[in-house]
Amino acid sequence: MITKDLSIIREKLKQGELIGLPTETVYGLAANVFNSKAVASIFTTKNRPTTNPLIVHVASINQVRALVKRFPEKASLLAKHFWPGPLTMILPKNQVVSGLVTADNDHVAIRIPNHPTALSLLNQLDFPLVAPSANPFNRISPTTAEHVDAYFPSIYTLDGGPCSSGVESTIVGFEDDEVILLRHGAISMEILESQVGRLLNRTAASEHASLPGQHKKHYSPNCQLIVTYEPLFMLSAIKHKKVGILWYQSVPIESIYVEVNLVLAPSGDLAEAAQNLFSALHTLDKMGLDLIIVERLPAQGLGNTMNDRLDRAATQ
Ligand code: TXA
Ligand code: MG
């Protein structure tokens, strides 16, 4: 069920139920962080392993301070520049955050989302919200209320329109004086580095991957997906299949013998491409194709974030 009525959503959350939460990145499946039963039902509803920790969403820095033991100096600097926004920080938790939320880690993931509807909801609640993306485990992340409703029709989803970023938040951690990049996301590595200097890259793609819950297979459509710089070359090797191709900027004239061609960003703007990525995958996923071929994005800025998601979607 989709609603714009904040009072229904508040009531459901107070009763310990889950709701669909709009954010600027993707929609979340949200619950009261202090209600263990509600938190537990996130894992069962998504069919998500409990070893995969959850992000806590708050409305203000004061609420962050109530959940953590320490707030490193570089975290303050990042917060000043990027909160509210699509940046998740891994911080040492205090005892009010249960191990269920953090998969028994002594650190908790926190962010202040930059979405007016999410912020007004969070401001009206006297508890923060835990929210993983609102998709069943391994499936494509939702960027509209309708995507969430198709996955979870029996829960109330708060309609906040299509997500403006379209890919998940960037995740960073802290070690001594270093900032560690743990997941590529809606804020590119380059933009973060312009504010805090060099990051240590420990994303799943790097050789130092150590993040709990960074599963290699993720974001998957129902059919096979291939990501390549040369979609037509791949296509030439495939016969008798219903194929859809997702292009970065434009459709080459040779690409007429496929079921469907979609384009992410005619202007080449990577932010526009990111905004459209999951939505385009949802559209292709619903077409009953045998194969989806996606043109790999340039390996820079948000292109790295999208390639990360696509490589996971392509993992069998
Ligand atoms: O943009 C986003 O981050 C969205 C929206 C809803 O806020 N949420 C999201 O959540 O992407 P999810 O659950 O799909 O991904 C959260 C990831 C986990 O898979 C894990 O890798 C990391 O965040 N994470 C969460 N808590 C952590 C912790 N305590 N330590 C290390 N990594 C953690
Ligand atoms: Mg997710």
Side-chain angles (χ1 to χ4, degrees):
M1 289 156 295
I2 297 177
T3 181
K4 290 197 167 168
D5 187 343
L6 279 178
S7 62
I8 295 180
I9 295 292
R10 272 198 321 264
E11 221 24 65
K12 292 286 160 198
L13 286 167
K14 282 181 191 155
Q15 290 162 4
E17 289 186 30
L18 307 184
I19 60 104
L21 174 76
T23 83
E24 78 280 39
T25 57
V26 300
Y27 275 70
L29 188 64
N32 174 355
V33 68
F34 300 131
N35 182 329
S36 302
K37 226 169 128 187
V39 176
S41 79
I42 288 183
F43 292 96
T44 50
T45 304
K46 271 185 64 107
N47 195 20
R48 174 181 175 118
T50 51
T51 49
N52 196 351
L54 305 174
I55 298 175
V56 181
H57 297 69
V58 297
S60 70
I61 299 262
N62 283 343
Q63 277 185 305
V64 178
R65 293 194 188 279
L67 302 171
V68 304
K69 277 194 187 141
R70 269 175 297 114
F71 201 62
E73 208 173 300
K74 285 210 169 151
S76 296
L77 189 63
L78 286 169
K80 221 169 88 198
H81 281 287
F82 298 107
W83 276 354
L87 179 70
T88 295
M89 298 203 244
I90 309 287
L91 298 165
K93 79 173 189 75
N94 66 24
Q95 73 291 345
V96 303
V97 182
S98 91
L100 189 60
V101 169
T102 64
D104 285 332
N105 245 273
D106 55 7
H107 284 61
V108 58
I110 307 183
R111 80 180 190 99
I112 304 180
N114 187 16
H115 189 291
T117 317
L119 285 173
S120 53
L121 175 64
L122 286 165
N123 275 313
Q124 290 172 21
L125 299 170
D126 49 16
F127 46 82
L129 295 175
V130 270
S133 52
N135 48 283
F137 186 57
N138 283 341
R139 300 292 303 282
I140 304 167
S141 302
T143 56
T144 64
E146 289 73 20
H147 292 158
V148 183
D149 199 53
Y151 283 142
F152 305 112
S154 63
I155 72 158
Y156 276 94
T157 295
L158 179 59
D159 190 358
C163 301
S164 57
S165 291
V167 288
E168 290 83 354
S169 60
T170 305
I171 303 182
V172 296
F174 303 90
E175 255 171 41
D176 306 321
D177 201 34
E178 305 277 7
V179 182
I180 325 276
L181 180 69
L182 296 167
R183 177 174 77 176
H184 286 292
I187 301 175
S188 71
M189 183 169 175
E190 292 89 329
I191 298 280
L192 285 178
E193 288 190 325
S194 71
Q195 296 303 332
V196 286
R198 284 287 298 198
L199 305 183
L200 291 185
N201 185 351
R202 277 194 217 150
T203 57
S206 80
E207 49 189 321
H208 307 290
S210 65
L211 191 61
Q214 279 279 27
H215 294 259
K216 202 157 164 36
K217 178 180 161 63
H218 207 143
Y219 312 99
S220 303
N222 287 310
C223 68
Q224 190 192 356
L225 183 145
I226 293 174
V227 49
T228 168
Y229 281 118
E230 300 285 352
L232 290 179
F233 183 73
M234 287 308 304
L235 188 66
S236 66
I238 288 150
K239 291 198 179 69
H240 314 301
K241 278 196 171 175
K242 223 172 130 182
V243 179
I245 305 187
L246 181 54
W247 298 93
Y248 166 34
Q249 279 190 266
S250 57
V251 184
I253 40 171
E254 301 92 324
S255 189
I256 45 176
Y257 299 110
V258 296
E259 190 75 15
V260 57
N261 287 290
L262 294 182
V263 174
L264 280 176
S267 67
D269 178 11
L270 289 171
E272 183 188 348
Q275 192 177 38
N276 294 328
L277 179 70
F278 286 136
S279 216
L281 290 177
H282 277 285
T283 302
L284 293 169
D285 199 24
K286 279 191 290 214
M287 296 186 70
L289 301 167
D290 300 314
L291 173 66
I292 297 171
I293 304 178
V294 186
E295 184 177 7
R296 186 176 288 281
L297 282 301
Q300 64 184 58
L302 291 178
N304 287 324
T305 301
M306 288 183 274
N307 289 338
D308 166 80
R309 304 303 189 266
L310 290 167
D311 284 331
R312 287 167 209 271
T315 301
Q316 300 273 317

